[in-house]
Amino acid sequence: MQGDLRGDEPLSGYGLLVGDLIGVAVFAASGASAAIAKRLDLFGVAFVGFVAALGGGILRDLVIGSVPPLAFADWRYAVTAVTTSVAVFWLHPQLSRLRRTVLLLDAAGLGLFTVTGTLKALNAGVPPVGACLVGMLTAIGGGLARDLLTGEIPVVLQRDIYAVASLCGAILVTILHAAGLAGPIPTVAAAVLITGVRLLALRRRWSAPVAVP
Amino acid sequence: MQGDLRGDEPLSGYGLLVGDLIGVAVFAASGASAAIAKRLDLFGVAFVGFVAALGGGILRDLVIGSVPPLAFADWRYAVTAVTTSVAVFWLHPQLSRLRRTVLLLDAAGLGLFTVTGTLKALNAGVPPVGACLVGMLTAIGGGLARDLLTGEIPVVLQRDIYAVASLCGAILVTILHAAGLAGPIPTVAAAVLITGVRLLALRRRWSAPVAVP
Amino acid sequence: MQGDLRGDEPLSGYGLLVGDLIGVAVFAASGASAAIAKRLDLFGVAFVGFVAALGGGILRDLVIGSVPPLAFADWRYAVTAVTTSVAVFWLHPQLSRLRRTVLLLDAAGLGLFTVTGTLKALNAGVPPVGACLVGMLTAIGGGLARDLLTGEIPVVLQRDIYAVASLCGAILVTILHAAGLAGPIPTVAAAVLITGVRLLALRRRWSAPVAVP
């Protein structure tokens, strides 16, 4: 039994890390692409990539009092973000052909970051409503910071079902957690669900309403 | 005596909560209005409303080390901000007639947030000068974040006596606190004074000087 | 021996404070100048000066969990930043003749803030890669915030060798620290080196590459 747990935990921890780093790489690529489009230099591209990938997690860790934030405490996060950004800097002409792949990975990152952010907040003792908000901010915070750094009104506030998919997923994770069901399989399912809703919203061009002028 | 205190504290605590939530609602309305003017979608309106209402308090709580910040720890804050923002989203055509009321409530929010922010900083052990700054940041931080999210140079930096009224009030509260006079009546008086100065500045069109070019 | 240490520590502490406050004054002047150019009022000039001078250090202290941040805990920082900003507000027509001096002092501030930021992060237990990033963010964070508040894409992301000089210096300080050589003389030398590289980059017009469109 104990052996089972011991055998399980590192695996799920390792899986979580790999998932997290994939999310970091994808969000770094989105930040780097935005920075290249604004003609920023190599440092600017790496910096915006770093912030897009890790800004949400830094905000989460500050809010739940986990300092220094993971982005500074574990070198693999920063190295993944910066390496990806520099690779995008050199390879970006080829990347335009990968637009669909990037949107798919971005949706996966949204799901992963929402779930890990919500669970970390709940485990740090944040009450349910706050934990849902922290989970969503973990997922959308990096994109918000990316847009502010490149002089844009954040795209997440303007159109599409993006943050709403994240928020619904955070609520689902919080309910699962309250019911004692936040094991690996249900949480992975929640991440997949968020990703699926996001992809469906993209395909069907779902978007949130805009106020009548 | 003890009974008196017991009878008094919940009342003043309840009064403080009601005052705080009125401030949250007013600042959320200002954020939602700015977001609607920028044609953001319903999520964007709710998000900018949330940040305008609670951004200053989140910054305050991070600075004084009170984590998770109240905005995430007490669901009534987030629910008040989001409900108000959604209401403004649907009702905003009628709100233009309420412009005077909104300015009045905004001045009241400025006074309330300054006083509660300054007192919380002092009680957390922040020295006087820092506590005044934290009090002012509590009151103007949300508006700053609202303007950054909607792509504007913060209006509080450009004209009007707004932040200065807050800063003077924060200094007054700090002096009262140092003199051991920071009871309910003096602090409410300080909030009223800030609100009054702000309204007077609006009516008389007082504004801070701009540098000679 | 003990007497030696006692005699040494206040001196080096005092030297560090003076160096820090010079950096604060210089960065406040850069923020105030940017605010004046945007026609902000006196409060806006003082506020942007404060943020440009102390924003990087506030971010550093939040990330390493040192609350309240030094900018709020020690009144000399805020007073230096605000006094300098107000002086620039009144004297700015004469300052244009001081452009070279300001660039020199700004490079000195970059060196000082990088070194103190990196050392504080290391002493707070942040691992090497994270400490380098925190050191660089201490030095460039204020300028980033200044540009965001005045509605510009941060200049540090666009051209010049500025952040890169800071990052290389932070790496050097981290290596010295790991080798047990982070005494006063090597760290001052690192600060001078960062300043020198920055000045050389200015003179030779070195800049980071921009991606091929």
Side-chain angles (χ1 to χ4, degrees):
Chain A
M1 195 69 184
Q2 275 241 326
D4 236 8
L5 275 170
R6 261 188 221 139
D8 185 48
E9 286 239 30
L11 182 70
S12 94
Y14 186 73
L16 198 68
L17 177 70
V18 169
D20 242 16
L21 292 184
I22 291 173
V24 166
V26 171
F27 283 158
S30 84
S33 302
I36 289 167
K38 291 279 173 174
R39 312 271 310 137
L40 301 190
D41 67 17
L42 177 54
F43 174 78
V45 170
F47 188 83
V48 177
F50 177 88
V51 170
L54 299 170
I58 292 170
L59 181 61
R60 172 201 66 208
D61 289 347
L62 292 179
V63 162
I64 67 175
S66 164
V67 292
L70 202 54
F72 301 104
D74 184 336
W75 60 271
R76 291 173 292 197
Y77 286 77
V79 167
T80 302
V82 170
T83 308
T84 308
S85 302
V86 172
V88 169
F89 183 84
W90 297 117
L91 303 174
H92 76 102
Q94 287 95 311
L95 282 181
S96 47
R97 269 175 278 151
L98 297 175
R99 203 181 146 270
R100 280 166 157 268
T101 313
V102 169
L103 280 174
L104 178 67
L105 287 170
D106 182 78
L110 186 76
L112 285 163
F113 278 24
T114 301
V115 171
T116 57
T118 308
L119 287 175
K120 284 189 189 186
L122 289 166
N123 290 336
V126 180
V129 172
C132 292
L133 293 170
V134 171
M136 184 191 72
L137 284 174
T138 306
I140 73 168
L144 272 168
R146 172 200 67 204
D147 292 348
L148 293 179
L149 283 175
T150 54
E152 301 286 341
I153 295 181
V155 68
V156 68
L157 306 179
Q158 293 185 72
R159 51 181 166 76
D160 276 0
I161 297 299
Y162 187 90
V164 172
S166 165
L167 187 58
C168 294
I171 294 170
L172 177 61
V173 170
T174 302
I175 292 170
L176 288 171
H177 188 268
L181 296 171
I185 293 169
T187 53
V188 168
V192 170
L193 192 71
I194 297 166
T195 305
V197 170
R198 167 66 186 147
L199 291 174
L200 206 60
L202 269 179
R203 173 174 289 268
R204 300 270 173 96
R205 296 173 196 274
W206 287 341
S207 66
V210 172
V212 188
Chain B
M1 196 72 185
Q2 275 242 326
D4 236 11
L5 275 170
R6 262 189 221 136
D8 185 47
E9 286 239 31
L11 183 69
S12 93
Y14 186 73
L16 198 68
L17 177 71
V18 170
D20 242 17
L21 292 184
I22 291 174
V24 166
V26 171
F27 284 158
S30 83
S33 301
I36 290 167
K38 291 278 173 175
R39 313 272 307 138
L40 302 189
D41 67 17
L42 177 55
F43 174 77
V45 170
F47 188 83
V48 176
F50 176 87
V51 170
L54 300 169
I58 292 170
L59 182 61
R60 174 199 66 208
D61 289 347
L62 292 179
V63 162
I64 67 176
S66 165
V67 293
L70 202 54
F72 302 103
D74 183 336
W75 60 271
R76 290 172 294 195
Y77 286 79
V79 167
T80 302
V82 170
T83 309
T84 307
S85 302
V86 172
V88 169
F89 182 85
W90 297 117
L91 303 174
H92 75 101
Q94 287 95 312
L95 282 181
S96 47
R97 270 175 279 152
L98 296 176
R99 202 180 146 270
R100 279 165 157 270
T101 313
V102 169
L103 280 173
L104 178 67
L105 288 170
D106 181 79
L110 186 76
L112 285 163
F113 278 24
T114 301
V115 170
T116 56
T118 309
L119 287 175
K120 283 189 189 185
L122 289 167
N123 291 336
V126 179
V129 172
C132 291
L133 293 170
V134 171
M136 184 191 72
L137 284 174
T138 307
I140 72 168
L144 273 168
R146 171 200 67 205
D147 293 348
L148 293 179
L149 283 175
T150 54
E152 300 287 341
I153 294 181
V155 67
V156 68
L157 305 179
Q158 293 187 72
R159 52 181 165 79
D160 276 359
I161 298 298
Y162 188 87
V164 172
S166 164
L167 186 58
C168 294
I171 293 170
L172 177 61
V173 170
T174 302
I175 292 171
L176 289 171
H177 189 267
L181 297 171
I185 293 169
T187 52
V188 168
V192 170
L193 191 71
I194 297 166
T195 305
V197 169
R198 168 64 186 147
L199 291 175
L200 205 60
L202 270 178
R203 173 174 289 268
R204 300 273 172 95
R205 296 173 196 275
W206 287 342
S207 66
V210 172
V212 189
Chain C
M1 196 71 186
Q2 274 242 326
D4 236 9
L5 276 170
R6 261 190 221 137
D8 186 48
E9 285 239 31
L11 183 71
S12 93
Y14 186 72
L16 198 69
L17 176 71
V18 170
D20 242 16
L21 293 184
I22 290 174
V24 166
V26 171
F27 283 159
S30 84
S33 301
I36 289 168
K38 290 279 174 176
R39 313 269 311 138
L40 303 189
D41 67 16
L42 178 55
F43 174 78
V45 170
F47 188 83
V48 176
F50 176 88
V51 170
L54 299 169
I58 292 171
L59 181 61
R60 173 200 66 209
D61 289 346
L62 292 179
V63 163
I64 68 176
S66 165
V67 292
L70 202 53
F72 301 105
D74 183 336
W75 59 271
R76 289 172 294 195
Y77 286 79
V79 167
T80 302
V82 170
T83 308
T84 307
S85 302
V86 172
V88 169
F89 183 84
W90 297 117
L91 302 174
H92 76 102
Q94 285 95 311
L95 282 180
S96 46
R97 271 175 277 153
L98 297 175
R99 203 180 146 271
R100 279 164 157 267
T101 313
V102 169
L103 280 174
L104 178 68
L105 288 170
D106 182 78
L110 186 76
L112 286 162
F113 278 23
T114 302
V115 170
T116 56
T118 308
L119 286 176
K120 284 189 189 186
L122 289 167
N123 291 335
V126 179
V129 172
C132 291
L133 293 170
V134 171
M136 185 191 72
L137 284 174
T138 306
I140 73 168
L144 273 167
R146 171 200 68 204
D147 292 348
L148 293 179
L149 283 175
T150 53
E152 301 287 340
I153 295 181
V155 67
V156 68
L157 306 178
Q158 293 186 73
R159 52 181 164 80
D160 277 359
I161 297 299
Y162 187 90
V164 173
S166 165
L167 186 58
C168 294
I171 294 170
L172 177 60
V173 170
T174 303
I175 292 171
L176 289 171
H177 188 269
L181 297 170
I185 293 169
T187 51
V188 168
V192 170
L193 191 72
I194 297 166
T195 305
V197 169
R198 168 64 186 147
L199 291 175
L200 206 60
L202 270 179
R203 173 174 288 267
R204 301 272 172 96
R205 296 172 195 276
W206 288 342
S207 66
V210 172
V212 189

